[in-house]
Each structure stands twice: as structure tokens, then as C-alpha cells.
Amino acid sequence: MAAPLIPQLLLLFILGTANFFPIGVVSTTFTITNQCDYTVWPGILSNADVAPLPTTGFALQKGETRTISPPASWGGRLWGRTHCSEDSTGKFSCITGDCGSGKVECSGAGAAPPATLAEFKLDGYGGQDFFDVSLVDGYNLPVLVSPQGGSGQNCSSTGCVVDLNGACPSDLKVVSEAGEGVACKSADGAYATPDTCKPTSYSLAFKNACPRAYSYAYDDKTSTFTCSSADYAITFCPTPSTR
């Protein structure tokens, strides 16, 4: 006896529409682009309460783009390492943003300050993504984070797109062997509360140059952004007019 036609058609409909409406959580994507005139080695550190990503560090040549897909509810930080090389023993190190692993992969180690940080907590409170670009640990290169799609009252681009190394005070400047300013240290101390941790003249200079970036601890009101259901473009050395 032939099977009833209607259940067969219903099954075909479900299977056919699954390609258009996949079941389950759709992963966020990070599209990381290097617009600098030099190679950047992105580093990635996951928060302690989430699993590390399949890659924790890689090389990104001038003009190159790479896309990664963190899992739902991922949290962590990304940054760019610069002026990197291997010594005669094969040990890998960078003048700025070095994670101390001795390899291109950071493998659970974070950036040595100073480094410009892009920080994320996906699918956080209220199902929103929280993100910022932080100069609290200093600055080494321009970074822009731009939501792609998504929605929210504060779902907009943030970052620091200007070169702060040239104007960095001499006592905070990190220089290469050639004497070039390649990073700018933070002058902030470690404080426990917003009342005791006030912006310094140095962090105010960062804030004036990059008003959307996190420039000192507790600088939340103007520097933390939220989106729902967005992908993110992370750009090193973006065009300055995009600030």
C-alpha cells in the first residue's frame, strides 16, 4: 500500500527549507583585514570561561583578509603584533603586542602592553554582543571594529583610527632598534573603583584623539558598544575618515 501523499510532501518541504532556515545557532564571523603597509600578526586570547579558538595567532600580510567563526557566547580579545621575527633558534617574538609563546600561535597567552585591544563578549546580557576597542593597556596600531548587520541602540563602529605613536610622550614611547616610535605605553595605574580611577592627562589625550575607544579603566559610558545578531569587521590601519 502506498504511503499517504501529504506526509511525504511535508517531509520534502522540511528538508528543502532546512537549507534556507538552518536549525540551531548561527555563528558570528570576524573578518580581520590588514590595511597597514606592513605585516601584522593578530593574536587572540579567549576568556577563561570559554574554549580557545582553533587559531590563537597568525600572520596577515599587507592587504590580506582572514575570516574566523567564534562559537556562540565566545568572549575574549584580539590584537595586532608588529615588528615580529624569528631568531636563529626559531623563537618567534614581536616588538609590540608579543604574547611570549615563542611561536606565531599565542596558545593561551595575552598581549604584553602596550597594545591596542579589540574586546568582545558575544551573546551576553540580554542576548547582546558587547564590544570595545581599548587603549587601557596602551596603543600600538590603529584598529577599527565595525558591526556588519545586526541591530541595537548602540550598534555602531568603534576604534582608534589615528596614529598615536608620533605624538606619544618620550617617557611612554616604545622605539624599534632603528629609533622609530612603534607603540605608546599607558600611564594609568591600577585602581579599584570609578571614583578613585580618574582619567590622567595621558589618557585624556588618547580620548581626545580616539573618542570612541576605551582610554582608561571604567571608561564605559562612551566606549562600550552593543549589537544583536551581527558579524564584525576588524581592520588594522583603517582609513582615518572612517572614525
Side-chain angles (χ1 to χ4, degrees), residues 109-182:
T116 313
L117 305 175
E119 302 177 311
F120 291 87
K121 178 62 181 86
L122 304 180
D123 192 24
Y125 179 78
Q128 297 184 102
D129 301 339
F130 292 77
F131 62 98
D132 66 78
V133 170
S134 174
L135 308 180
V136 175
D137 286 346
Y139 167 99
N140 68 330
L141 80 171
V143 175
L144 181 71
V145 175
S146 300
Q148 309 293 298
S151 60
Q153 292 184 345
N154 202 18
C155 185
S156 58
S157 298
T158 183
C160 185
V161 303
V162 299
D163 183 4
L164 299 180
N165 291 328
C168 184
S170 58
D171 54 333
L172 299 179
K173 185 176 292 188
V174 176
V175 298
S176 66
E177 291 182 358
E180 173 191 7
V182 294

Side-chain angles (χ1 to χ4, degrees), residues 19 135 144 203 219 231-232:
N19 292 327
L135 308 180
L144 181 71
S203 62
D219 183 20
D231 295 319
Y232 297 92

Side-chain angles (χ1 to χ4, degrees), residues 41 83-94 102-105:
W41 287 261
H83 301 274
C84 303
S85 61
E86 285 187 353
D87 64 16
S88 59
T89 67
K91 181 182 178 181
F92 180 84
S93 63
C94 305
K103 301 177 181 179
V104 173
E105 294 275 352

Side-chain angles (χ1 to χ4, degrees), residues 40-87:
V40 173
W41 287 261
I44 304 172
L45 176 65
S46 298
N47 292 343
D49 59 344
V50 297
L53 299 184
T55 180
T56 59
F58 52 92
L60 208 57
Q61 304 296 326
K62 174 184 175 181
E64 189 177 1
T65 294
R66 180 164 175 175
T67 299
I68 60 176
S69 297
S73 302
W74 183 82
R77 52 180 51 181
L78 300 87
W79 68 96
R81 295 168 287 174
T82 65
H83 301 274
C84 303
S85 61
E86 285 187 353
D87 64 16

